[in-house]
Amino acid sequence: MSDNSSNRIVIPLGPQHPALKEPGSFTLTLEGEKVVNAVIGIGYNHRGLEKALESRTYIQNLYMIERICGICSHTHSVAYCQAIEEMCGVEIPMRAKYIRVIIAELERLHSHLLWLGVAAHEIGFDTLFMYAWRDREMVLDMLAELCGNRVNYGINTLGGVRRDIDDNDAHEIKKILRVLHNQISYYLELATNEPTLIARLADVGKLNHDDALKFGAVGPVARAAGIANDVRKIEPYAAYDEVPVNVITDDHGDVLGRTLVRVKEMLESISIIRYCLDNLPAGEILAKVPRKVPAGEMISRTEAPRGENIHYINSDGSDIPYRIRVRAPSEANWHGMKHMLEGSFLADVPIAIAAIDPCYSCTDRAIFVNSDNGESRLYDWKGLREYSIKWHRDRGLNIADIQIPMAKNYIQIQRKTND
Amino acid sequence: MNNEEIIVSKIFDRFEFARDKIHVQKRLRIISDPFSREEFEQIIEYLHDELGFKIAHHIVGIDYGEDLGFIYMLGNDEHIIFALKEKVSKENPEINSMTKYYPSLLMHELELVDLFGAIVKDLPDVPSYPLPDGWPKGNHPMRKDWNPAYFDHKTMTYNPPAKEVKEDEKQ
């Protein structure tokens, strides 16, 4: 056996944007092109959220809980709300449960499309990146129409949801879903038949069934290793006990498998949304929840786009939680990362990292931000807007001259293009 | 008996000290009262080795006032979440690393060290997580008596106001 230790070099990857536009550091020891050791450093996005949650009321915390993650904000607010509703013994209206499912599946669609674009970009397939992100805009427009926001939807509240879906909304959503279904079916055909794509993704970032279990992988990472775990089936929440859900699995255990699982899950999400719109129960969308939560503790879980999301809430009987702990899915998927990287080629590292769809903000939920010059400034909305206009004008761009099409017009343009 | 109740009864049969301190909260949820360090380690070994709890979701640190609590969220193939609690005094917050059973707990134990001031024995030599480099020693932000209002971001120092001394304490 030869000793190659003298040929080893250590290279730092990150912390600025090692794969995605988020911070994480990877210290890689290479032997030739092969990674023989990886030390992962995260924590750059730690914001002190869990501490902040302990000094605000349950209602105020709704705002903060949604900001754990910009991509999967809804799954966090669902987990939080349903834990408190159960602690208070409140059964929310069925219509509200269905609306929570519709928004959850739209969130899964836009999250998976975002991932598909990022993954395509990491392997140099920028055409697919542009296609996926163009289609994601349709989903974000739907979310904006239904909730008022593209992200951080604010649809959930304690006791149900804040906005209803009318027949016109349902009709518009179904039309857009038809376009999306065609597009996503095309991506599935690509991932199944396109030889270059398959050759680039197969056997990269391997995590087999046993290792996925050992490292506690969740979501599409686990399902791509043949583990059929999905909270929507295991412990149905919201309206998932009434809505048919097929759990998508694959046995590749690599980035190709994760791609196939996510693309197929998007088609499944479209079926779920259609079912919910066709079977949306009539009635109220909100039940009354007391301001103070009875003393006790509750563990609530949801299936986020990235996997199992667990919230622990401990109440001392007041209107402020004693302790909230969030175990986001990315936090679970980091553990297998070292294993995936070691033995892989350096060129595969970015796509292997991206393939768990890591969310650094989710992982580092919980301190304080120093501004660059050590000073803190508080902007009101007007001040922030003026700062933004000045920032762009200093760089030769006058925002007032830009004509932005309205969301609905954009969707019509998209539909014409795809028809 | 359902699966959750069978698991609890097996623990009661094995460990008399655990009787009536573990409860089935609802389907797929088993929650314990806090156990001492020694008792906790006996139960977690049994859960891992003999009752099939091979998954560790995470650990919740909690400040009980005089004591620190650590809730280990364990899972099995039937998707039951077992919240097993351990309690140690703040004066001696020493616990053993459970990464020998659950490698995925490493990051969560590092979090207990930084945020709660736990002393976790047998942790590997890895960078601390999640507090930034230069964070002042002895400051554990998730303890209830740590107030973010007294933390100076520029100097990275914690400056609580001088404790008021009551008249009867002066004498």
Side-chain angles (χ1 to χ4, degrees):
Chain A
M1 206 170 107
S2 64
D3 179 13
N4 289 325
S5 58
S6 60
N7 295 329
R8 290 181 179 184
I9 56 166
V10 177
I11 65 159
L13 188 69
Q16 269 75 32
H17 309 165
L20 310 159
K21 302 295 176 279
E22 287 194 88
S25 77
F26 298 82
T27 308
L28 307 172
T29 305
L30 300 181
E31 213 172 80
E33 283 292 311
K34 273 209 161 165
V35 178
V36 292
N37 187 37
V39 178
I40 298 166
I42 50 176
Y44 299 93
N45 279 353
H46 210 253
R47 294 160 289 163
L49 276 175
E50 286 179 3
K51 183 75 174 179
L53 293 168
E54 293 177 7
S55 59
R56 286 162 177 82
T57 66
Y58 286 100
I59 281 286
Q60 289 172 325
N61 280 336
L62 262 172
Y63 181 89
M64 208 166 317
I65 283 282
E66 279 212 314
R67 280 146 184 85
I68 290 172
C69 177
I71 303 301
C72 47
S73 58
H74 181 72
T75 203
H76 286 296
S77 63
V78 170
Y80 173 79
C81 287
Q82 67 188 19
I84 293 161
E85 287 152 4
E86 195 170 348
M87 290 169 94
C88 294
V90 172
E91 181 71 24
I92 73 165
M94 211 56 213
R95 189 174 178 85
K97 291 183 178 180
Y98 269 71
I99 294 174
R100 281 185 180 174
V101 168
I102 292 169
I103 305 299
E105 296 306 322
L106 285 173
E107 182 174 76
R108 197 177 319 278
L109 269 174
H110 98 75
S111 177
H112 283 2
L113 280 168
L114 179 131
W115 177 83
L116 186 65
V118 170
H121 176 67
E122 295 297 345
I123 58 169
F125 194 176
D126 276 351
T127 312
L128 179 58
F129 161 52
M130 299 289 179
Y131 271 43
W133 280 36
R134 180 200 62 185
D135 295 341
R136 178 174 174 257
E137 282 300 309
M138 284 192 271
V139 185
L140 292 178
D141 286 340
M142 276 194 275
L143 285 163
E145 291 291 333
L146 293 176
C147 314
N149 276 337
R150 286 158 58 88
V151 291
N152 298 337
Y153 322 106
I155 188 96
N156 278 322
T157 190
L158 299 176
V161 293
R162 295 170 60 236
R163 289 178 181 230
D164 207 347
I165 293 177
D166 61 25
D167 290 344
N168 191 40
D169 292 330
H171 181 69
E172 286 297 315
I173 295 170
K174 282 183 186 170
K175 280 204 284 188
I176 298 168
L177 288 180
R178 274 200 292 276
V179 180
L180 269 176
H181 191 276
N182 288 344
Q183 286 298 121
I184 295 166
S185 300
Y186 170 62
Y187 302 143
L188 181 59
E189 197 184 317
L190 267 184
T192 316
N193 298 321
E194 220 294 307
T196 319
L197 189 72
I198 294 167
R200 182 66 188 87
L201 300 179
D203 291 328
V204 174
K206 289 284 279 187
L207 192 71
N208 64 32
H209 180 275
D210 291 350
D211 286 333
L213 278 177
K214 179 181 167 189
F215 293 109
V218 296
V221 178
R223 291 194 283 276
I227 302 167
N229 285 356
D230 190 318
V231 181
R232 294 174 295 177
K233 273 286 197 196
I234 292 167
E235 192 177 349
Y237 57 97
Y240 285 114
D241 54 345
E242 292 189 359
V243 179
V245 179
N246 292 315
V247 178
I248 310 292
T249 57
D250 189 270
D251 54 8
H252 283 85
D254 54 14
V255 182
L256 178 61
R258 284 160 223 154
T259 308
L260 289 166
V261 165
R262 289 193 179 100
V263 174
K264 288 176 185 173
E265 281 188 358
M266 286 195 276
L267 294 173
E268 188 60 27
S269 288
I270 290 174
S271 301
I272 294 171
I273 298 167
R274 282 174 174 157
Y275 180 90
C276 288
L277 292 171
D278 290 340
N279 296 278
L280 192 61
E284 298 294 318
I285 57 167
L286 194 58
K288 196 169 171 53
V289 175
R291 198 168 54 86
K292 291 183 177 176
V293 174
E297 56 194 339
M298 190 59 66
I299 303 157
S300 163
R301 55 181 164 183
T302 59
E303 186 67 28
R306 296 171 171 91
E308 186 185 43
N309 172 42
I310 306 175
H311 283 216
Y312 169 83
I313 297 179
N314 187 309
S315 168
D316 58 2
S318 71
D319 61 346
I320 294 175
Y322 188 77
R323 175 82 169 104
I324 295 180
R325 171 71 161 89
V326 175
R327 203 304 306 272
S330 290
E331 214 179 338
N333 279 334
W334 276 115
H335 309 299
M337 176 59 73
K338 182 179 164 71
H339 183 79
M340 282 185 217
L341 295 181
E342 288 173 355
S344 69
F345 290 105
L346 177 62
D348 292 338
V349 169
I351 183 62
I353 296 172
I356 69 162
D357 196 10
C359 179
Y360 296 80
S361 296
C362 274
T363 307
D364 304 332
R365 311 145 319 281
I367 261 163
F368 316 99
V369 179
N370 282 331
S371 54
D372 294 341
N373 56 8
E375 292 176 1
S376 298
R377 279 190 73 179
L378 190 65
Y379 285 99
D380 59 10
W381 177 249
K382 187 165 171 275
L384 190 64
R385 186 172 176 278
E386 285 168 358
Y387 174 81
S388 168
I389 291 170
K390 182 178 179 302
W391 190 92
H392 284 94
R393 196 173 285 151
D394 291 346
R395 288 156 180 79
L397 184 66
N398 191 348
I399 290 179
D401 294 341
I402 300 172
Q403 298 292 318
I404 302 172
M406 295 300 291
K408 278 188 172 165
N409 293 342
Y410 174 78
I411 293 167
Q412 281 161 6
I413 295 166
Q414 286 291 307
R415 234 174 284 138
K416 278 178 189 165
T417 311
N418 289 297
D419 288 345
Chain B
M1 276 205 288
N2 57 32
N3 287 339
E4 292 84 349
E5 287 166 343
I6 291 168
I7 291 166
V8 172
S9 71
K10 282 182 179 172
I11 300 173
F12 288 170
D13 290 346
R14 175 68 74 97
F15 305 108
E16 188 56 37
F17 63 78
R19 194 164 291 281
D20 299 330
K21 292 176 85 176
I22 299 174
H23 321 275
V24 176
Q25 187 190 39
K26 59 174 187 172
R27 181 181 165 262
L28 300 181
R29 294 289 185 283
I30 304 173
I31 297 185
S32 84
D33 292 347
F35 287 101
S36 70
R37 186 174 162 189
E38 294 73 21
E39 290 171 342
F40 164 82
E41 287 181 15
Q42 288 179 55
I43 298 173
I44 200 168
E45 184 182 5
Y46 181 56
L47 285 172
H48 178 270
D49 292 352
E50 296 184 42
L51 295 187
F53 281 83
K54 302 287 185 189
I55 303 163
H57 298 290
H58 64 303
I59 311 171
V60 180
I62 190 163
D63 185 338
Y64 286 131
E66 299 289 310
D67 301 312
L68 288 176
F70 307 117
I71 310 171
Y72 290 69
M73 300 288 183
L74 310 174
N76 67 356
D77 285 348
E78 291 154 352
H79 311 293
I80 293 170
I81 296 183
F82 195 124
L84 181 63
K85 297 179 187 167
E86 179 180 25
K87 192 163 79 171
V88 294
S89 75
K90 280 187 180 170
E91 287 176 359
N92 182 24
E94 192 177 276
I95 56 173
N96 285 322
S97 171
M98 290 298 127
T99 51
K100 60 187 171 188
Y101 303 124
Y102 305 102
S104 64
L105 283 183
L106 174 61
M107 202 167 75
H108 305 288
E109 291 184 341
L110 291 170
E111 216 178 273
L112 297 182
V113 174
D114 270 20
L115 301 183
F116 286 90
I119 301 167
V120 184
K121 289 180 73 179
D122 304 324
L123 274 179
D125 184 22
V126 293
S128 69
Y129 172 80
L131 295 176
D133 296 342
W135 186 264
K137 279 190 176 175
N139 280 265
H140 306 296
M142 286 305 287
R143 288 198 180 188
K144 288 286 183 186
D145 57 3
W146 196 90
N147 187 338
Y150 303 140
F151 189 75
D152 187 325
H153 305 284
K154 293 178 188 170
T155 60
M156 292 280 269
T157 53
Y158 186 67
N159 307 301
K163 196 178 174 185
E164 284 181 31
V165 181
K166 291 178 186 169
E167 283 302 313
D168 53 345
E169 285 177 2
K170 284 181 183 173
Q171 298 158 7

